[in-house]
Amino acid sequence: MSSTGKDKPFSLVLSGGGALGIAHLGILYDLERKGLKPAEIIGTSMGGIIGACLAIGMRETQIHEKLKSFASVTKWIKFSISGNSIVDSARIEKIFDAIFGGRMMSDVVIPLKIIATDLETGDKRVFTADDRVPMRDAVLATMAIPGIFEEKVIEERVYGDGFLCENLGLRESSHEEVLAVDVVGRNSFSKTLPDNFFKTFNVIEMLERSIRLLMYNQTKNILDQIDKNILLLEPDTSEFKTFHFHKVEEIRKLGLGLL
């Protein structure tokens, strides 16, 4: 979205990034303050969760309150002893049931697109109003990090996190003007490598850094191929981890004042 295009319809594209996606709230706050409303919302993973909340008419303060449900992981994490994932999604499903109820993907006030990945073929799947799919199911699919969260079966297909194919869904934007928020962009990783006393901490940090770099380069390649007016916002999330769900207030502030 160019500086001269603020009166034109624009697509709001929100990236995945685990807890880092809480920074999207700061952007939503500024959009409301400026009286700007997207013509469509495209979300992946945490961006899909927040985007879905916005699409059904929730305000930033309401979404903020809901995300506090994730602040204590004991409220939504239940470890699984079977299947392909560490976390059983039962508690997460209850949270999403409370938010979305029986809404379908078409039950929105702002058009919504949620990106997931077909785990059998690797293909991108974009859930829209054209699909007779419960919004809750599409959200569970887009956030299902393989091995961490349970994969989601929808219409006999098995889906996982959208970051595997397109973490920042720029290709799905219908409008010439695009406001894109990438919480795992160039400002998401430290310029120095980890140097902790314990090797285990270094290994974990290197793994997370590698995943961020993969998503960053994926998005950079897509940006090189798209000819649209894109305003790309990249909050500085380098000091936080993708599992820092307990730091809602601190991470939310990272998105404030960027617009």
Side-chain angles (χ1 to χ4, degrees):
M1 184 176 67
S2 66
S3 59
T4 59
K6 291 185 177 180
D7 294 329
K8 299 178 181 178
F10 68 94
S11 300
L12 175 63
V13 185
L14 304 177
S15 79
L20 305 181
I22 296 169
H24 292 314
L25 294 180
I27 306 297
L28 299 192
Y29 175 85
D30 285 345
L31 283 171
E32 287 183 10
R33 187 169 55 86
K34 294 175 181 289
L36 296 172
K37 182 178 179 180
E40 72 171 353
I41 302 164
I42 302 158
T44 301
S45 202
M46 180 59 86
I49 296 171
I50 293 175
C53 291
L54 183 63
I56 65 174
M58 293 175 65
R59 296 185 63 80
E60 189 273 335
T61 52
Q62 295 172 300
I63 304 172
H64 187 182
E65 286 300 313
K66 292 297 182 183
L67 282 185
K68 288 180 182 178
S69 300
F70 289 82
S72 174
V73 294
T74 58
K75 292 182 179 180
W76 57 274
I77 282 189
K78 177 183 177 183
F79 290 103
S80 175
I81 59 173
S82 62
N84 302 323
S85 63
I86 296 173
V87 178
D88 185 315
S89 64
R91 292 178 181 173
I92 303 173
E93 288 183 13
K94 287 184 179 179
I95 292 175
F96 290 157
D97 280 338
I99 296 173
F100 303 115
R103 285 186 176 88
M104 306 298 284
M105 282 296 296
S106 55
D107 298 329
V108 293
V109 295
I110 302 174
L112 173 67
K113 298 174 182 176
I114 292 180
I115 296 175
T117 305
D118 187 315
L119 292 180
E120 295 176 349
T121 65
D123 294 335
K124 177 171 65 174
R125 172 66 190 269
V126 184
F127 293 102
T128 71
D130 293 333
D131 298 298
R132 292 300 298 167
V133 170
M135 188 175 293
R136 184 203 72 159
D137 289 356
V139 169
L140 284 168
T142 191
M143 62 159 283
I145 302 172
I148 305 297
F149 296 107
E150 282 186 281
E151 59 272 21
K152 185 64 182 175
V153 178
I154 300 175
E155 298 173 343
E156 300 183 355
R157 302 300 303 177
V158 183
Y159 295 102
D161 201 303
F163 88 83
L164 295 169
C165 55
E166 192 165 352
N167 193 56
L168 188 66
L170 294 167
R171 288 195 181 103
E172 302 308 318
S173 57
S174 303
H175 300 281
E176 185 66 23
E177 304 291 326
V178 180
L179 172 60
V181 188
D182 190 1
V183 299
V184 286
R186 60 178 175 173
N187 298 323
S188 71
F189 43 89
S190 170
K191 301 303 181 286
T192 59
L193 297 179
D195 187 23
N196 298 296
F197 179 78
F198 293 105
K199 180 179 179 179
T200 303
F201 293 158
N202 289 328
V203 171
I204 292 172
E205 287 193 24
M206 284 298 290
L207 178 60
E208 176 151 345
R209 180 187 182 90
S210 297
I211 293 172
R212 293 191 195 193
L213 285 169
L214 281 170
M215 289 189 282
Y216 167 64
N217 282 302
Q218 175 198 81
T219 297
K220 190 164 64 171
N221 289 335
I222 293 172
L223 280 166
D224 290 340
Q225 301 167 14
I226 293 181
D227 183 22
K228 291 193 175 186
N229 296 324
I230 299 173
L231 175 57
L232 178 62
L233 304 181
E234 299 173 289
D236 185 352
T237 57
S238 59
E239 297 300 315
F240 297 89
K241 306 300 182 188
T242 54
F243 53 84
H244 280 170
F245 289 98
H246 60 293
K247 298 188 177 183
V248 174
E249 305 305 327
E250 298 96 317
I251 298 177
R252 175 182 175 273
K253 289 178 182 177
L254 301 177
L256 293 171
L258 297 183
L259 190 60

